PDB file of all heavy atoms in Angstrom:
ATOM      1  N   TYR A  34     -15.932 136.082 -79.751  1.00  0.00           N
ATOM      2  CA  TYR A  34     -15.041 135.503 -80.757  1.00  0.00           C
ATOM      3  C   TYR A  34     -15.792 134.478 -81.602  1.00  0.00           C
ATOM      4  O   TYR A  34     -15.736 134.481 -82.820  1.00  0.00           O
ATOM      5  CB  TYR A  34     -13.850 134.833 -80.077  1.00  0.00           C
ATOM      6  CG  TYR A  34     -13.081 135.798 -79.224  1.00  0.00           C
ATOM      7  CD1 TYR A  34     -13.259 135.815 -77.848  1.00  0.00           C
ATOM      8  CD2 TYR A  34     -12.208 136.705 -79.804  1.00  0.00           C
ATOM      9  CE1 TYR A  34     -12.558 136.705 -77.064  1.00  0.00           C
ATOM     10  CE2 TYR A  34     -11.515 137.599 -79.019  1.00  0.00           C
ATOM     11  CZ  TYR A  34     -11.688 137.593 -77.656  1.00  0.00           C
ATOM     12  OH  TYR A  34     -11.014 138.473 -76.884  1.00  0.00           O
ATOM     13  N   ARG A  48     -10.852 130.663 -82.516  1.00  0.00           N
ATOM     14  CA  ARG A  48      -9.420 130.932 -82.433  1.00  0.00           C
ATOM     15  C   ARG A  48      -8.981 131.771 -83.601  1.00  0.00           C
ATOM     16  O   ARG A  48      -7.998 132.493 -83.534  1.00  0.00           O
ATOM     17  CB  ARG A  48      -8.698 129.625 -82.424  1.00  0.00           C
ATOM     18  CG  ARG A  48      -9.345 128.736 -81.430  1.00  0.00           C
ATOM     19  CD  ARG A  48      -8.408 127.776 -80.877  1.00  0.00           C
ATOM     20  NE  ARG A  48      -7.885 128.245 -79.680  1.00  0.00           N
ATOM     21  CZ  ARG A  48      -7.316 127.419 -78.858  1.00  0.00           C
ATOM     22  NH1 ARG A  48      -7.323 126.164 -79.091  1.00  0.00           N
ATOM     23  NH2 ARG A  48      -6.769 127.851 -77.836  1.00  0.00           N
ATOM     24  N   ALA A  68     -16.814 134.290 -74.842  1.00  0.00           N
ATOM     25  CA  ALA A  68     -18.199 133.838 -74.687  1.00  0.00           C
ATOM     26  C   ALA A  68     -18.776 134.315 -73.368  1.00  0.00           C
ATOM     27  O   ALA A  68     -18.112 134.318 -72.354  1.00  0.00           O
ATOM     28  CB  ALA A  68     -18.212 132.320 -74.762  1.00  0.00           C
ATOM     29  N   LEU A  74      -8.737 138.981 -72.253  1.00  0.00           N
ATOM     30  CA  LEU A  74      -7.392 139.567 -72.275  1.00  0.00           C
ATOM     31  C   LEU A  74      -6.744 139.538 -70.910  1.00  0.00           C
ATOM     32  O   LEU A  74      -7.409 139.658 -69.896  1.00  0.00           O
ATOM     33  CB  LEU A  74      -7.492 141.008 -72.759  1.00  0.00           C
ATOM     34  CG  LEU A  74      -7.437 141.063 -74.262  1.00  0.00           C
ATOM     35  CD1 LEU A  74      -8.827 140.864 -74.804  1.00  0.00           C
ATOM     36  CD2 LEU A  74      -6.927 142.392 -74.712  1.00  0.00           C
ATOM     37  N   ARG A 115     -22.704 122.714 -81.707  1.00  0.00           N
ATOM     38  CA  ARG A 115     -22.482 121.280 -81.534  1.00  0.00           C
ATOM     39  C   ARG A 115     -23.359 120.795 -80.395  1.00  0.00           C
ATOM     40  O   ARG A 115     -23.814 121.539 -79.594  1.00  0.00           O
ATOM     41  CB  ARG A 115     -21.035 121.086 -81.218  1.00  0.00           C
ATOM     42  CG  ARG A 115     -20.894 120.697 -79.892  1.00  0.00           C
ATOM     43  CD  ARG A 115     -19.684 120.777 -79.256  1.00  0.00           C
ATOM     44  NE  ARG A 115     -18.660 121.152 -80.060  1.00  0.00           N
ATOM     45  CZ  ARG A 115     -17.624 121.736 -79.594  1.00  0.00           C
ATOM     46  NH1 ARG A 115     -17.571 121.984 -78.398  1.00  0.00           N
ATOM     47  NH2 ARG A 115     -16.693 122.066 -80.256  1.00  0.00           N
ATOM     48  N   ARG A 131       1.899 118.242 -75.235  1.00  0.00           N
ATOM     49  CA  ARG A 131       2.901 119.253 -75.506  1.00  0.00           C
ATOM     50  C   ARG A 131       2.898 120.296 -74.453  1.00  0.00           C
ATOM     51  O   ARG A 131       2.346 120.178 -73.428  1.00  0.00           O
ATOM     52  CB  ARG A 131       2.649 119.869 -76.799  1.00  0.00           C
ATOM     53  CG  ARG A 131       1.304 120.209 -76.942  1.00  0.00           C
ATOM     54  CD  ARG A 131       1.164 120.990 -78.117  1.00  0.00           C
ATOM     55  NE  ARG A 131       0.852 120.247 -79.185  1.00  0.00           N
ATOM     56  CZ  ARG A 131      -0.167 120.407 -79.898  1.00  0.00           C
ATOM     57  NH1 ARG A 131      -0.850 121.289 -79.672  1.00  0.00           N
ATOM     58  NH2 ARG A 131      -0.418 119.795 -80.838  1.00  0.00           N
TER      59      ARG A 131
ATOM     60  P    DT B1255       3.873 125.367 -78.407  1.00  0.00           P
ATOM     61  OP1  DT B1255       4.849 125.754 -77.367  1.00  0.00           O
ATOM     62  OP2  DT B1255       2.899 124.290 -78.163  1.00  0.00           O
ATOM     63  O5'  DT B1255       3.075 126.665 -78.844  1.00  0.00           O
ATOM     64  C5'  DT B1255       3.772 127.697 -79.540  1.00  0.00           C
ATOM     65  C4'  DT B1255       2.779 128.690 -80.117  1.00  0.00           C
ATOM     66  O4'  DT B1255       2.086 128.097 -81.230  1.00  0.00           O
ATOM     67  C3'  DT B1255       1.718 129.128 -79.099  1.00  0.00           C
ATOM     68  O3'  DT B1255       1.738 130.542 -78.990  1.00  0.00           O
ATOM     69  C2'  DT B1255       0.394 128.669 -79.695  1.00  0.00           C
ATOM     70  C1'  DT B1255       0.718 128.467 -81.163  1.00  0.00           C
ATOM     71  N1   DT B1255      -0.050 127.373 -81.809  1.00  0.00           N
ATOM     72  C2   DT B1255      -0.745 127.664 -82.970  1.00  0.00           C
ATOM     73  O2   DT B1255      -0.777 128.772 -83.468  1.00  0.00           O
ATOM     74  N3   DT B1255      -1.404 126.602 -83.530  1.00  0.00           N
ATOM     75  C4   DT B1255      -1.438 125.309 -83.058  1.00  0.00           C
ATOM     76  O4   DT B1255      -2.053 124.450 -83.665  1.00  0.00           O
ATOM     77  C5   DT B1255      -0.688 125.078 -81.836  1.00  0.00           C
ATOM     78  C7   DT B1255      -0.662 123.713 -81.241  1.00  0.00           C
ATOM     79  C6   DT B1255      -0.030 126.112 -81.274  1.00  0.00           C
ATOM     80  P    DA B1257      -2.995 134.886 -76.870  1.00  0.00           P
ATOM     81  OP1  DA B1257      -2.211 135.823 -77.625  1.00  0.00           O
ATOM     82  OP2  DA B1257      -2.455 134.143 -75.727  1.00  0.00           O
ATOM     83  O5'  DA B1257      -4.335 135.622 -76.430  1.00  0.00           O
ATOM     84  C5'  DA B1257      -4.766 135.529 -75.074  1.00  0.00           C
ATOM     85  C4'  DA B1257      -6.236 135.894 -75.010  1.00  0.00           C
ATOM     86  O4'  DA B1257      -6.368 137.302 -75.276  1.00  0.00           O
ATOM     87  C3'  DA B1257      -7.071 135.149 -76.032  1.00  0.00           C
ATOM     88  O3'  DA B1257      -8.255 134.675 -75.412  1.00  0.00           O
ATOM     89  C2'  DA B1257      -7.397 136.167 -77.085  1.00  0.00           C
ATOM     90  C1'  DA B1257      -7.355 137.489 -76.274  1.00  0.00           C
ATOM     91  N9   DA B1257      -6.974 138.620 -77.113  1.00  0.00           N
ATOM     92  C8   DA B1257      -5.769 138.892 -77.697  1.00  0.00           C
ATOM     93  N7   DA B1257      -5.755 139.990 -78.377  1.00  0.00           N
ATOM     94  C5   DA B1257      -7.030 140.495 -78.229  1.00  0.00           C
ATOM     95  C6   DA B1257      -7.663 141.643 -78.706  1.00  0.00           C
ATOM     96  N6   DA B1257      -7.062 142.552 -79.443  1.00  0.00           N
ATOM     97  N1   DA B1257      -8.946 141.847 -78.376  1.00  0.00           N
ATOM     98  C2   DA B1257      -9.548 140.951 -77.618  1.00  0.00           C
ATOM     99  N3   DA B1257      -9.071 139.823 -77.104  1.00  0.00           N
ATOM    100  C4   DA B1257      -7.790 139.655 -77.447  1.00  0.00           C
ATOM    101  P    DC B1258      -8.553 133.186 -75.092  1.00  0.00           P
ATOM    102  OP1  DC B1258      -9.252 133.309 -73.849  1.00  0.00           O
ATOM    103  OP2  DC B1258      -7.428 132.301 -75.248  1.00  0.00           O
ATOM    104  O5'  DC B1258      -9.615 132.720 -76.208  1.00  0.00           O
ATOM    105  C5'  DC B1258     -10.420 133.644 -76.917  1.00  0.00           C
ATOM    106  C4'  DC B1258     -11.554 132.911 -77.617  1.00  0.00           C
ATOM    107  O4'  DC B1258     -11.079 131.650 -78.103  1.00  0.00           O
ATOM    108  C3'  DC B1258     -12.734 132.590 -76.701  1.00  0.00           C
ATOM    109  O3'  DC B1258     -13.965 132.683 -77.438  1.00  0.00           O
ATOM    110  C2'  DC B1258     -12.492 131.173 -76.284  1.00  0.00           C
ATOM    111  C1'  DC B1258     -11.810 130.589 -77.490  1.00  0.00           C
ATOM    112  N1   DC B1258     -10.856 129.517 -77.122  1.00  0.00           N
ATOM    113  C2   DC B1258     -11.030 128.249 -77.677  1.00  0.00           C
ATOM    114  O2   DC B1258     -11.943 128.060 -78.472  1.00  0.00           O
ATOM    115  N3   DC B1258     -10.189 127.265 -77.306  1.00  0.00           N
ATOM    116  C4   DC B1258      -9.205 127.515 -76.443  1.00  0.00           C
ATOM    117  N4   DC B1258      -8.404 126.511 -76.113  1.00  0.00           N
ATOM    118  C5   DC B1258      -9.012 128.812 -75.877  1.00  0.00           C
ATOM    119  C6   DC B1258      -9.838 129.769 -76.234  1.00  0.00           C
ATOM    120  P    DA B1259     -15.319 132.261 -76.707  1.00  0.00           P
ATOM    121  OP1  DA B1259     -16.384 133.023 -77.363  1.00  0.00           O
ATOM    122  OP2  DA B1259     -15.134 132.371 -75.254  1.00  0.00           O
ATOM    123  O5'  DA B1259     -15.523 130.736 -77.100  1.00  0.00           O
ATOM    124  C5'  DA B1259     -15.810 130.401 -78.464  1.00  0.00           C
ATOM    125  C4'  DA B1259     -16.590 129.099 -78.525  1.00  0.00           C
ATOM    126  O4'  DA B1259     -15.710 128.025 -78.183  1.00  0.00           O
ATOM    127  C3'  DA B1259     -17.758 129.059 -77.537  1.00  0.00           C
ATOM    128  O3'  DA B1259     -18.849 128.374 -78.119  1.00  0.00           O
ATOM    129  C2'  DA B1259     -17.172 128.361 -76.344  1.00  0.00           C
ATOM    130  C1'  DA B1259     -16.107 127.449 -76.943  1.00  0.00           C
ATOM    131  N9   DA B1259     -14.896 127.326 -76.119  1.00  0.00           N
ATOM    132  C8   DA B1259     -14.271 128.292 -75.380  1.00  0.00           C
ATOM    133  N7   DA B1259     -13.175 127.879 -74.767  1.00  0.00           N
ATOM    134  C5   DA B1259     -13.077 126.548 -75.150  1.00  0.00           C
ATOM    135  C6   DA B1259     -12.143 125.546 -74.863  1.00  0.00           C
ATOM    136  N6   DA B1259     -11.067 125.730 -74.087  1.00  0.00           N
ATOM    137  N1   DA B1259     -12.338 124.340 -75.398  1.00  0.00           N
ATOM    138  C2   DA B1259     -13.400 124.143 -76.189  1.00  0.00           C
ATOM    139  N3   DA B1259     -14.351 125.008 -76.548  1.00  0.00           N
ATOM    140  C4   DA B1259     -14.127 126.204 -75.977  1.00  0.00           C
ATOM    141  P    DC B1260     -20.190 128.203 -77.254  1.00  0.00           P
ATOM    142  OP1  DC B1260     -21.313 128.354 -78.176  1.00  0.00           O
ATOM    143  OP2  DC B1260     -20.111 129.033 -76.034  1.00  0.00           O
ATOM    144  O5'  DC B1260     -20.089 126.686 -76.821  1.00  0.00           O
ATOM    145  C5'  DC B1260     -19.432 125.745 -77.674  1.00  0.00           C
ATOM    146  C4'  DC B1260     -19.309 124.399 -76.978  1.00  0.00           C
ATOM    147  O4'  DC B1260     -18.011 124.300 -76.363  1.00  0.00           O
ATOM    148  C3'  DC B1260     -20.343 124.216 -75.866  1.00  0.00           C
ATOM    149  O3'  DC B1260     -21.011 122.980 -76.014  1.00  0.00           O
ATOM    150  C2'  DC B1260     -19.544 124.266 -74.595  1.00  0.00           C
ATOM    151  C1'  DC B1260     -18.140 123.881 -75.017  1.00  0.00           C
ATOM    152  N1   DC B1260     -17.092 124.525 -74.195  1.00  0.00           N
ATOM    153  C2   DC B1260     -15.967 123.780 -73.867  1.00  0.00           C
ATOM    154  O2   DC B1260     -15.844 122.637 -74.284  1.00  0.00           O
ATOM    155  N3   DC B1260     -15.015 124.337 -73.091  1.00  0.00           N
ATOM    156  C4   DC B1260     -15.170 125.594 -72.651  1.00  0.00           C
ATOM    157  N4   DC B1260     -14.201 126.097 -71.883  1.00  0.00           N
ATOM    158  C5   DC B1260     -16.307 126.373 -72.979  1.00  0.00           C
ATOM    159  C6   DC B1260     -17.239 125.802 -73.759  1.00  0.00           C
ATOM    160  P    DT B1261     -22.128 122.580 -74.870  1.00  0.00           P
ATOM    161  OP1  DT B1261     -23.372 122.247 -75.574  1.00  0.00           O
ATOM    162  OP2  DT B1261     -22.144 123.557 -73.752  1.00  0.00           O
ATOM    163  O5'  DT B1261     -21.475 121.235 -74.300  1.00  0.00           O
ATOM    164  C5'  DT B1261     -20.629 120.472 -75.155  1.00  0.00           C
ATOM    165  C4'  DT B1261     -19.989 119.331 -74.393  1.00  0.00           C
ATOM    166  O4'  DT B1261     -18.778 119.777 -73.732  1.00  0.00           O
ATOM    167  C3'  DT B1261     -20.880 118.736 -73.314  1.00  0.00           C
ATOM    168  O3'  DT B1261     -20.731 117.321 -73.303  1.00  0.00           O
ATOM    169  C2'  DT B1261     -20.368 119.348 -72.035  1.00  0.00           C
ATOM    170  C1'  DT B1261     -18.905 119.594 -72.321  1.00  0.00           C
ATOM    171  N1   DT B1261     -18.339 120.791 -71.659  1.00  0.00           N
ATOM    172  C2   DT B1261     -17.123 120.669 -71.037  1.00  0.00           C
ATOM    173  O2   DT B1261     -16.492 119.628 -71.010  1.00  0.00           O
ATOM    174  N3   DT B1261     -16.651 121.814 -70.451  1.00  0.00           N
ATOM    175  C4   DT B1261     -17.260 123.045 -70.419  1.00  0.00           C
ATOM    176  O4   DT B1261     -16.722 123.987 -69.856  1.00  0.00           O
ATOM    177  C5   DT B1261     -18.545 123.101 -71.088  1.00  0.00           C
ATOM    178  C7   DT B1261     -19.291 124.383 -71.115  1.00  0.00           C
ATOM    179  C6   DT B1261     -19.006 121.983 -71.674  1.00  0.00           C
TER     180       DT B1261
END
Side-chain angles (χ1 to χ4, degrees):
Chain A
Y34 302 101
R48 312 208 95 162
L74 273 86
R115 110 197 355 154
R131 47 171 93 122

